[in-house]
Amino acid sequence: MKGATNQSVDRRTLLKLTGVAGATTGLGALAGCLGDPNGEGDLDIDSLTITQGEFPDVEDPNDHITGPYFNVYDHVYEPLFDVTPGEEPEGRIVEDWEHGDDGTVELTIRDDVVFHQGQELTAEDIAFTLERQIDPDVPPASDQVAGLGSIEGAEALDDTTLELSYSGAAQLAEFEFGNYLRAVSQEWYENDAPTTDDGVISGDDAEAFNGTGPYQVTEYNPGQNRIVMEPFDEYWGDEPNVGELVFEGETSDSGRVSSLLADETNFVDNVQPGEVGNVEDDDDARIEEVTSFRNIFLPMKNEVEPFDSEEFRQAMNYAVDNEEIISDILNGFGAPMSQPTPPEVNGYNPDLDPYEHDLEQAEELVEEAGHTEDDPADITLTVPEGRYLNDAEVGERAADQIDQLPNVDCDFETVPFDVVSDANSAGVDHEEIPFFLIGWGVITGDADYGMFGFFHDDGGVQSFRDEELQTALEESQVEDDPEEREALLQDINEMAREKAPWVFLHQQQSIYGLDADIEWDAREDESVFVWEMS
């Protein structure tokens, strides 16, 4: 088996011990995890259009960590590995990998990979890309560091050999580097790439994209939320089975479904529960759904008042009625969360129950936190629209439920998703938007990815600072025994439930609408790849 030479436990056994081989390992962006672009699909059409509720607002593949962005990027750029839910990672650009005894892994990459603008891919490009992702002093200041918490650096040993160094357990490192490192050409970036003053790749035409993937960008109009791709003639793998590939953005939930039913697009995401029947009643369309690894929640930045009080944060959990939201707003499409980690992910604690809806308990806790009916806490919940399933309606209902408390005044504001995404990365003391709705897909299949980014000073999207929680995460990262590490992660989930860094909402159901003649199985990691369609 590739890469298993210096390990006492082979990779398949390792994944079984961590609970991933029998479950699903997906997302991403949910950063995205790739399937197999070299499979022999039987779909052969001139053009395919995919319409998503969220369209990338940046052209840099190392910048954001948003699932719909990766669905676009991953047809143009390539991670080093293919990761399919429920299966062990397989080399993609990497041909072989071998762990050493000193916290290193040596990767051997293909020697026939070229970028769309003609540069040859080398190990130096991958080392350069990793530096962009994990070093805060190298542009961009990337959210993707949240998924690479144990990876310390990379060194190119020669053109096709790369050495990664990591500080944690080998299993954690594989969870991480298996999902990231979409290579950017260092030569192109330093000489030709359009960049902003702070070093982010940013342009308004096709020249802003330069990956090694099966598709190259031929037309790009960010103002119209539209990007057009065609197969890359010099791609190292098999030729894609779809000719022109178009991604479009449409934030209107009903607008996406209307486009599908009018044959203006072939595939849409985030079909709202109330629209499912309309799609199912159309002979030319169908619904595909799956319970995803995405956790929807309300972060509360605990270095901003009143969220610096544990009692207040717990009160917000008691005030929000998850069952009502799932029943009334989501039409039953969702499951209440009790902790940061979704079920089927390594480290999930099955002994934890969701917070009960208890307004009396919530009011008492708010009063303990120092707020009375005469002097209520004044807060605003900021919510995106079109990014998650009924996100604006979910946020509005949660805000209304909190506002029922006599000692809390809770306002509600809807903003574009990029505003929420920026607030998520702005630091634990960011006062402008300290309370918001966001989702996080645990693409690695390991609880560390669901918590490190939010609860650690080096996480990249930290919204909660707590020394006890951070120390426990660090201890879990260096535990080599898979069973011991799983137990540590379960304890951390219990600790997080008590400290209430978030209002725990629900695990999202992914609902897609697509042409009836397209065969495709929805993935738990929310990734969408045309080579998995037939």
Side-chain angles (χ1 to χ4, degrees), residues 298-307 379-380 382 423 427-436 463 501:
L298 311 178
M300 296 174 282
K301 299 200 171 188
N302 70 324
E303 292 195 354
V304 179
E305 294 181 348
F307 306 110
I379 61 177
T380 298
T382 304
V428 71
D429 57 353
H430 181 63
E431 296 185 355
E432 185 176 348
I433 303 179
F435 187 38
F436 53 94
S463 61

Side-chain angles (χ1 to χ4, degrees), residues 49-51 260 265-269 512-515 520 528 533:
T49 299
I50 295 173
T51 304
L260 176 68
T265 187
N266 308 105
F267 183 106
V268 299
D269 68 354
Y512 303 91
L514 60 160
D515 287 353
W520 177 75
V528 176
M533 300 179 183

Side-chain angles (χ1 to χ4, degrees), residues 323-346:
E323 297 288 353
E324 180 184 280
I325 288 174
I326 293 169
S327 174
D328 292 359
I329 307 297
L330 301 176
N331 288 13
F333 289 96
M337 289 292 292
S338 62
Q339 59 194 282
T341 301
E344 307 299 333
V345 169
N346 183 49

